[in-house]
Amino acid sequence: MLQKKRIVAALGHRALGVTLPEQREAVGKAVSSLADLVEEGADLVITHSNGAQVGMIHTAMNEFAKAHPDYTGAPMSVCSAMSQGYIGYDIQNELRAELLRRGLYKNVATVITQVTVDPYDESLYQPTKVIGRLLTKEEAEAEEKKGNFVTETEGGYRRIIASPKPKDIIEIETIRLLADAGQIVIAAGGGGIPVMEQGEQLRGASAVIEKDLISARLAEELKADELFILTSVENAKLAHGTDHETPIGRISVEQAKKYMADGEFEYGTMLPKIQAAVEFIENGGKRAVITSIDKAKEAYFGNCGTIITDD
């Protein structure tokens, strides 16, 4: 009998592509590795990136509103919900088909997931995430008048939004119930929809949550055995981009924290992955793995990737 492990697997943007046709093709390849994990005995919960998709939706909705004055643009929270729905739709259908081809019968479901953020999170006042299309100076000024942040870039201006730390996962009990019933769950896509509590209401925040950090939080809440962060590289590296870069294999949390303190990991790319891995282990996880999507099965057996443990 296969030994069951609960694994939260986070898919990076390379597993999704950018355009609709690219996404369908990329997801079709990615689910083979996810099915490998299920075949080896993993109870799987999947999270995913949505950077390209949410930007595309935001641009499309706002361009439509610009061309049709009777319509309004879509706030980021709505765009995030849309991206969760259509990315989840592709993943669950492709994964279901791949499992059936292997003679495995498991339900796959997407849960549209909201995540609370602190209204006093410092990042809300110092946004860094660039989204949307290029803006003219006049359009940028109009955005600022609405209270939005913009930054000057090559060829014009772009909106920037905050990336606050995740707090509570609103739908966690639903996710847990499905996972405990043996179903494969796709949840907290794109970091989850950032919301703030206002009395009984949840109000969408103009922000995005780092996908890797919410993956660690989700893994912690579900008491997962392992966290897999599946990205475009086989290993995290020291001295990345230099002639002396060195792949990182198995390391302890303390070693990972030292490398972070030494500035070894790039902000916005590898750093949040290492942070998420460390957070997961420090909150009771057994093992965190950072590797490429095609190496997931090898990493499951400890034969590749950057593996972080508590010893």
Side-chain angles (χ1 to χ4, degrees):
M1 181 179 294
L2 293 172
Q3 182 179 359
K4 289 289 185 182
K5 291 182 184 177
R6 176 164 291 176
I7 293 177
V8 171
L11 299 179
H13 68 276
R14 290 290 180 89
L16 301 177
V18 176
T19 66
L20 292 174
E22 278 183 12
Q23 178 173 302
R24 187 68 180 271
E25 182 179 356
V27 167
K29 294 176 181 177
V31 297
S32 177
S33 293
L34 297 177
D36 285 343
L37 297 180
V38 176
E39 203 165 37
E40 294 300 336
D43 283 331
L44 200 59
V45 177
I46 301 164
T47 68
H48 58 78
S49 173
N50 75 340
Q53 289 79 5
V54 77
M56 178 177 63
I57 293 168
H58 184 265
T59 298
M61 296 297 291
N62 286 282
E63 286 298 299
F64 182 82
K66 183 179 175 182
H68 301 273
D70 291 341
Y71 292 84
T72 59
M76 281 303 300
S77 55
V78 172
C79 296
S80 179
M82 289 180 176
S83 73
Q84 284 191 24
Y86 96 80
I87 294 170
Y89 164 72
D90 273 350
I91 295 174
Q92 69 185 39
N93 283 343
E94 292 296 326
L95 181 54
R96 174 183 176 276
E98 179 64 22
L99 292 172
L100 286 174
R101 283 191 287 269
R102 301 184 186 203
L104 300 173
Y105 302 90
K106 293 180 76 74
N107 289 324
V108 187
T110 298
V111 176
I112 303 300
T113 311
Q114 302 172 95
V115 177
T116 60
V117 297
D118 185 345
Y120 301 105
D121 190 301
E122 291 183 3
S123 74
L124 292 172
Y125 309 99
Q126 296 178 324
T128 59
K129 294 280 188 178
V130 177
I131 64 161
R133 64 169 176 82
L134 279 174
L135 304 172
T136 65
K137 185 176 182 180
E138 292 74 21
E139 288 173 325
E141 289 173 349
E143 289 293 336
E144 288 182 321
K145 286 179 181 178
K146 297 177 190 175
N148 297 323
F149 293 89
V150 298
T151 186
E152 190 169 1
T153 62
E154 184 178 351
Y157 299 81
R158 302 275 298 277
R159 267 197 67 189
I160 50 174
I161 59 175
S163 183
K165 293 179 181 178
K167 291 180 64 183
D168 298 322
I169 301 169
I170 298 297
E171 289 77 19
I172 188 61
E173 293 303 329
T174 301
I175 298 166
R176 183 181 290 115
L177 185 66
L178 290 170
D180 287 349
Q183 299 194 30
I184 297 171
V185 188
I186 303 161
I193 304 164
V195 295
M196 297 180 186
E197 295 178 289
Q198 296 181 359
E200 296 83 12
Q201 294 290 322
L202 296 172
R203 303 291 186 187
S206 183
V208 292
I209 296 170
E210 176 59 57
K211 171 261 301 177
D212 297 313
L213 297 183
I214 196 59
S215 298
R217 178 62 59 85
L218 182 61
E220 175 191 344
E221 290 282 353
L222 295 175
K223 293 182 170 53
D225 298 291
E226 300 182 0
L227 172 65
F228 273 47
I229 298 176
L230 301 173
T231 184
S232 58
V233 294
E234 188 172 332
N235 296 76
K237 295 177 181 178
L238 300 177
H240 178 63
T242 72
D243 294 337
H244 308 290
E245 71 176 22
T246 305
I248 301 172
R250 185 181 296 269
I251 58 172
S252 68
V253 164
E254 291 308 312
Q255 287 173 302
K257 291 167 78 171
K258 181 180 184 303
Y259 291 149
M260 284 194 290
D262 291 343
E264 288 285 356
F265 307 116
E266 186 176 358
Y267 177 83
T269 54
M270 188 53 70
L271 180 58
K273 294 172 175 53
I274 301 293
Q275 290 173 327
V278 167
E279 179 181 312
F280 171 63
I281 298 300
E282 289 189 325
N283 284 289
K286 296 176 182 177
R287 187 174 73 140
V289 177
I290 300 169
T291 194
S292 57
I293 180 72
D294 59 305
K295 297 291 184 179
K297 183 175 179 179
E298 290 181 53
Y300 183 84
F301 293 106
N303 296 328
C304 72
T306 296
I307 299 171
I308 301 175
T309 62
D310 61 358
D311 53 23

